[in-house]
Amino acid sequence: MTAELVRGQNHTLPQTRLEIRISAGTPVVAGATLGDENGRVAGVEWIAHPGSPQLHGLEVSRQAAADHRLAVDLDALPDGVHRVTVLLALPLDAGGPARFGAVASPFVAVTGLDGAEIATFTLTGLDSESAVAALELYRRQGAWKVRAVGQGYAGGLAAMLADQGVDRAAELAGTIQEAVARGLARSVAPPPPRTPEGDRVRHTPAPAPAPGNGRPAVPPPPPATPQPAAPPQPEPLAEPAAPGGPINYAHPRRQSTAPPPPPPAAPPAQPGQPAQPVAGDATGWSMDERLYNQVWGMFEDLARAAAAYRSAVDFAESRMDQELERTLSDPRSRIGGAGDRAREEARAKRDELTARARESLDRDLTQLAAESAVVEPALPAPYAGWDNPVWHGYRVPMEIPMALRIGDLHLPESADLRIPLLVRLPLERGMWIDSGRTASEAAALAGTDQLRRLAMETAVLHAARLLAVYPPNEFTVHVIDPAGSAAGALDPLVRSGVLPSPPATGAQGVSSVLAHLTRRVDLVQMAIRAGAADSLPPDLDPAEQLLIVNDFPHGFDDRAVTQLRYLADEGPSVGVHLMMVADREEASEYGPILDPLWRSLLRVTPVADDHLADPWVGHAWTYEPPRTPPGSAVLDEVLARVAHARRTGHR
């Protein structure tokens, strides 16, 4: 039975391997400190945070997120540890709230590895605090207990660490916030909440919630990355009724209260077997929305399955190390073959635990692979790869889709299982296609010129897809190519006639395009502030604008760099987006002045590279850029239809 704690209350823990699940409703930093009998922290090596997420027996998230799962093995903690304090803090410079009083009360649950809740605590009564000690696990007379703390600190993370006796607390707090900023920059933004239940729809019945438990079992993640001037998130699609009662499908922005069409019925499952997967097995008001939610559900399922597997393997290794250490410290183990037998038994136990974890992971992977096999062919053109037959029947759409596919993601546990990376439209964040040499094997095998060519070809594929999924003349692409070095890669865009003007070259061309787009941002912002959107000049293009910049910072003076930063910061909110094709090292002379620019853009690569993180557990995912099939004319055919629709206004 779950113990619902209030501030100061404690509860005995029935087991030592735990998960601490946090739901905050907004991205927060989660960490933990290890304390002695008096609660004092011996040093920074006893603090787990995004910049140093793993300690013996403890692992925390690597980035700020609305939901966290912290893994704790109390038996594996260092000697002398009597207390584990879970800390929450609001990230700085993320464009989010500055105090906990401005957000929903954070919710913390201590669970077993099976997800069964042991104790829960809702942190109410917070106001000006930007950091809080949520709860603590402590050892008393040989038994571990959990206590609800809820102690907030208006002085933030530094004040909270100082209160626990940490030396140079302000410096450490700055280090943690810097690590959080780096994590936010590389994290993929999750979709808006799908339903208040926060889980994917399945054809098999799910357990009913516990009486009186009105919070989501797995809360849906709000955005985990800084979004420049992002629009408000849509309201949930369905409000839950009382357990077992009917569901009210009334949408707050729709006049009709009819429920969305149900997903297609799944084929009947064999006795004892899971239901067969079907495309559209998720909530949504249209098939496209259901497929979008289903893809993101697969993404989250794979992230959490891999996290559970890695945690189990780490536990098996840690347990084996402890048993070997105890064996070697016993002088009797050195007599006869006792030591060898103990080592063999410890390794056998490790292998057994690892094999069981792999078996569980393989079951999840098999289910996800089967789901992917039916979802991928059903995806509409905006979500589909260039090799999908849906592009052969392409027609210019009449409305903007929900999202756009910009590549694929996979994990080393299952490299063949690819998850489409879908980003919402309109774009809320620009893109940076890194043409520099990264640490990946694919980049090491490519030459500098080849990487630059592949980066520009990748930018063209992204731009072509954006043009293809927008209605005629509702998306415009501009190109800055100061030295004209990307003429070959840009040929499909130029030859098809989808560009309103040739790529800008030289310093004058750079200045002209930047001045044009800066003026557009200024005029639209002024019109919005004045409530006079209908008073814009007739020569202003109302379409969404994309600026592709090649070979930055070549051809850019200080004024042009300032304008580019302005477009990155202010442009997305008024429909002006950046796509940078650049090697950051070549712009190193600008120093930290460009750091906000790079962080504001979603970094992708022209070759496979494991630099993107998921918003749930922070795994490093390998990103695969889009590619057209060898010898295929699909890109030229799609661009030709887009150009025809732009000229004639007909699909």
Side-chain angles (χ1 to χ4, degrees):
M1 182 175 178
T2 303
E4 297 184 1
L5 305 180
V6 297
R7 187 175 280 106
Q9 190 176 2
N10 60 42
H11 182 73
T12 300
L13 294 172
Q15 58 200 80
T16 57
R17 288 199 67 204
L18 307 164
E19 274 193 348
I20 298 175
R21 302 186 179 187
I22 299 163
S23 174
T26 191
V28 297
V29 183
T33 60
L34 306 181
D36 59 17
E37 291 179 335
N38 299 317
R40 306 293 289 180
V41 179
V44 294
E45 66 276 7
W46 275 23
I47 303 175
H49 57 81
S52 178
Q54 288 183 316
L55 302 177
H56 285 296
L58 178 64
E59 182 174 3
V60 304
S61 303
R62 291 168 170 79
Q63 62 195 50
D67 300 293
H68 294 272
R69 292 191 181 188
L70 281 57
V72 182
D73 181 1
L74 297 173
D75 290 337
L77 294 174
D79 294 337
V81 173
H82 289 259
R83 188 174 302 178
V84 180
T85 304
V86 177
L87 314 176
L88 303 179
L90 293 171
L92 302 177
D93 303 326
R99 58 188 184 91
F100 276 107
V103 300
S105 298
F107 173 83
V108 184
V110 179
T111 76
L113 296 185
D114 59 355
E117 291 182 345
I118 300 169
T120 64
F121 176 42
T122 301
L123 285 77
T124 58
L126 298 176
D127 186 12
S128 61
E129 298 90 344
S130 59
V132 59
L135 56 77
E136 62 183 18
L137 313 178
Y138 65 99
R139 181 160 43 190
R140 180 70 53 84
Q141 297 178 346
W144 282 94
K145 298 183 178 182
V146 55
R147 177 186 290 121
V149 180
Q151 175 63 54
Y153 295 84
L157 190 57
M160 181 166 55
L161 294 173
D163 191 44
Q164 297 193 33
V166 178
D167 293 332
R168 305 170 70 178
E171 181 179 337
L172 177 59
T175 301
I176 294 173
Q177 293 287 2
E178 178 60 29
V180 171
R182 291 196 301 268
L184 289 173
R186 64 188 284 268
S187 173
V188 178
R194 296 186 290 274
T195 65
E197 290 86 350
D199 206 354
R200 291 204 282 158
V201 171
R202 292 293 184 194
H203 294 294
T204 53
N213 184 1
R215 35 171 192 72
V218 181
T225 55
Q227 307 286 345
Q233 299 295 341
E235 286 84 356
L237 294 178
E239 293 295 334
I247 295 176
N248 174 18
Y249 285 97
H251 191 286
R253 293 181 182 168
R254 292 179 184 264
Q255 298 300 319
S256 171
T257 59
Q270 297 297 322
Q273 298 295 319
Q276 295 298 310
V278 294
D281 186 11
T283 56
W285 288 89
S286 66
M287 177 57 81
D288 286 3
E289 187 175 357
R290 293 201 296 268
L291 287 168
Y292 170 81
N293 288 335
Q294 185 173 14
V295 167
W296 270 90
M298 293 164 58
F299 188 8
E300 182 177 358
D301 287 351
L302 181 53
R304 297 202 185 280
Y309 169 71
R310 294 179 185 182
S311 176
V313 171
D314 289 344
F315 169 75
E317 293 286 348
S318 174
R319 183 57 58 88
M320 182 188 70
D321 291 342
Q322 292 178 48
E323 293 178 356
L324 291 177
E325 185 178 349
R326 284 196 295 267
T327 299
L328 295 175
S329 64
D330 186 353
R332 292 173 296 180
S333 66
R334 303 167 192 167
I335 302 174
D340 292 338
R341 287 194 300 273
R343 279 190 285 269
E344 290 175 1
E345 290 174 359
R347 293 190 180 103
K349 190 179 297 184
R350 184 271 314 271
D351 293 343
E352 179 187 0
L353 291 172
T354 301
R356 283 162 50 190
R358 185 70 211 194
E359 182 181 354
S360 177
L361 175 65
D362 286 342
R363 283 197 302 270
D364 291 336
L365 293 178
T366 299
Q367 181 180 356
L368 285 169
E371 188 171 12
S372 177
V374 299
V375 168
E376 190 72 45
L379 295 177
Y383 305 173
W386 285 108
D387 57 349
N388 192 307
V390 71
W391 286 105
H392 296 299
Y394 165 76
R395 297 184 66 191
V396 178
M398 297 306 294
E399 60 181 18
I400 303 172
M402 281 188 61
L404 183 80
R405 185 175 187 156
I406 63 170
D408 295 336
L409 298 171
H410 63 85
L411 288 173
E413 283 82 2
S414 181
D416 293 336
L417 178 56
R418 307 298 175 92
I419 303 294
L421 176 53
L422 303 180
V423 297
R424 290 295 294 260
L425 292 178
L427 294 173
E428 298 174 345
R429 188 178 183 185
M431 295 175 64
W432 164 30
I433 302 170
D434 191 351
S435 60
R437 188 172 298 282
T438 64
S440 72
E441 180 180 353
L445 296 175
T448 301
D449 292 341
Q450 183 182 7
L451 283 174
R452 290 179 175 175
R453 176 180 57 80
L454 290 173
M456 199 61 206
E457 290 176 354
T458 302
V460 168
L461 288 176
H462 288 311
R465 183 177 287 258
L466 282 162
L467 286 164
V469 302
Y470 270 77
N473 297 309
E474 291 194 18
F475 197 87
T476 302
V477 176
H478 307 270
V479 180
I480 290 179
D481 184 22
S485 58
L490 291 168
D491 183 62
L493 297 179
V494 175
R495 179 164 30 88
S496 63
V498 294
L499 298 179
S501 58
T505 58
Q508 184 175 356
V510 171
S511 176
S512 175
V513 173
L514 291 176
H516 168 73
L517 292 177
T518 300
R519 172 180 175 268
R520 185 189 186 281
V521 171
D522 289 339
L523 290 174
V524 175
Q525 284 186 336
M526 287 189 292
I528 292 174
R529 294 191 190 107
D534 55 349
S535 63
L536 290 169
D539 64 336
L540 188 138
D541 183 2
E544 296 271 318
Q545 309 285 310
L546 175 69
L547 173 60
I548 302 177
V549 179
N550 182 45
D551 210 14
F552 177 81
H554 181 80
F556 281 72
D557 56 20
D558 290 345
R559 174 180 171 81
V561 170
T562 300
Q563 289 176 313
L564 193 68
R565 289 184 56 193
Y566 176 73
L567 292 177
D569 292 340
E570 304 294 335
S573 63
V574 291
V576 177
H577 314 283
L578 279 185
M579 186 178 292
M580 301 279 291
V581 181
D583 179 357
R584 186 171 182 173
E585 290 299 318
E586 294 183 356
S588 59
E589 64 184 69
Y590 288 95
I593 193 174
L594 288 182
D595 286 353
L597 171 64
W598 304 118
R599 283 200 296 262
S600 70
L601 304 173
L602 175 63
R603 175 177 172 257
V604 296
T605 51
V607 294
D609 189 84
D610 57 350
H611 65 282
L612 287 178
D614 66 78
W616 301 284
V617 293
H619 290 320
W621 292 71
T622 297
Y623 168 79
E624 296 275 359
R627 290 282 180 266
T628 54
S632 171
V634 62
L635 178 62
D636 291 333
E637 293 171 359
V638 168
L639 288 175
R641 294 178 187 178
V642 171
H644 174 75
R646 291 172 68 89
R647 288 193 304 268
T648 64
H650 301 297
R651 302 170 60 197

